[in-house]
Amino acid sequence: MIDFGLRDRVILVTGAGSGIGRAVALHAATQGARIAVVDFSEADADGVVTEIKEAGGTAVALVADVRAEAEVEAAVSRCEEVLGPLDGVVACAGISRPAPAESLTLEGWSQVIDTNLTGAFLTARIAGSRLLARGGSLVVVSSVDGLGGHAGRVHYSASKFGVAGIVKSLAIEWGRRGVRVNAVAPGPVDTPLLRAIHSDEALAGGILVRTPLGRLALPADQANAILFLLSDAAAFVTGTLLPVDGGLTAGCFNDEPLS
């Protein structure tokens, strides 16, 4: 495993109870970072902290709904009380609720926008204000759906396009104050949730054929990119949206045979 030089750094990860957030928390902990595992599910957060501690790492489980300003504020404050001043933040909490645009209710729209966009902003604003006191790195998890549209996910895509605006604006505001702000844009990631939604045949015909590297991303692929952005190796990287998609968004004709 690559050593990203994160030993003894305090890193807060939202949505850390599962998926990409969990992978980030576990990978950073193996590097010696002290991890605040923030999740809506107490059981999931506790489970990740148990894994980290059993491996000899340091972590605290914190329950918060990223849509609730007071809960995010409480989680960030508790993180610093227990682990020390923040060095890095990963805003990973998000949901996807596919629905045709013509039948998407305002409630359905708001659930996704409030979690993915407002939640990312609240995390960035509240945790970022702590980073401004001493410098650090903020990484927001976006999506390839923040680079292009996706049928049945108008609300999800809108939220991820919005994340790009947050990242680029904060990079400009905070760069001279010692805080770098970036995002990763994952393509489809091999998780139980993805497998539950798509059959092997659908994945092969709809995704893998369009992915130059010919496979789904693993959560660890996303975690490695995020840890790079948190690290000093990315000291001159800010305001960027990094696709971690196996080449899915490289072009329009990814599935064309050579001729």
Side-chain angles (χ1 to χ4, degrees):
M1 180 179 292
I2 298 170
D3 186 349
F4 290 98
L6 300 176
R7 180 165 297 281
D8 295 327
R9 296 193 185 183
V10 176
I11 298 173
L12 179 145
V13 185
T14 68
S18 61
I20 295 172
R22 174 179 175 274
V24 171
L26 294 174
H27 277 57
T30 65
Q31 304 266 313
R34 303 195 297 274
I35 310 299
V37 177
V38 182
D39 201 88
F40 183 79
S41 165
E42 182 175 9
D44 287 348
D46 286 341
V48 174
V49 168
T50 297
E51 288 186 70
I52 290 172
K53 289 184 175 180
E54 287 179 348
T58 301
V60 60
L62 302 168
V63 178
D65 182 341
V66 295
R67 300 171 298 179
E69 184 175 16
E71 293 186 24
V72 177
E73 182 68 57
V76 172
S77 296
R78 183 59 178 162
C79 165
E80 294 203 318
E81 287 174 11
V82 175
L83 301 176
L86 276 172
D87 298 294
V89 177
V90 181
C92 189
I95 60 173
S96 178
R97 304 279 172 78
E102 68 272 18
S103 59
L104 178 62
T105 64
L106 180 58
E107 180 183 8
W109 168 273
S110 297
Q111 286 177 344
V112 171
I113 295 294
D114 290 350
T115 301
N116 296 0
L117 186 58
T118 302
F121 169 70
L122 288 174
T123 301
R125 195 201 75 201
I126 293 168
S129 67
R130 312 299 178 95
L131 295 178
L132 287 169
R134 63 195 303 251
S137 175
L138 168 67
V139 182
V140 185
V141 176
S142 181
S143 168
V144 292
D145 284 353
L147 299 171
H150 191 160
R153 290 171 174 81
V154 63
H155 45 347
Y156 184 79
S157 185
S159 73
K160 296 304 185 178
F161 267 87
V163 161
I166 290 174
V167 164
K168 291 181 181 295
S169 296
L170 293 182
I172 294 167
E173 284 193 42
W174 292 352
R176 287 180 173 81
R177 300 169 71 183
V179 177
R180 295 182 297 105
V181 185
N182 292 288
V184 295
V189 180
D190 196 353
T191 63
L193 177 60
L194 184 76
R195 295 286 183 175
I197 296 173
H198 300 289
S199 67
D200 290 344
E201 292 77 13
L203 290 173
I207 296 174
L208 298 185
V209 71
R210 295 180 174 87
T211 302
L213 290 187
R215 67 172 177 86
L216 295 171
L218 301 174
D221 294 320
Q222 309 301 324
N224 284 329
I226 291 167
L227 265 57
F228 162 70
L229 291 172
L230 289 172
S231 78
D232 293 343
F236 204 60
V237 180
T238 196
T240 193
L241 186 67
L242 174 64
V244 187
D245 65 355
L248 180 66
T249 57
C252 299
F253 303 107
N254 296 359
D255 59 344
E256 289 290 309
L258 295 176
S259 60

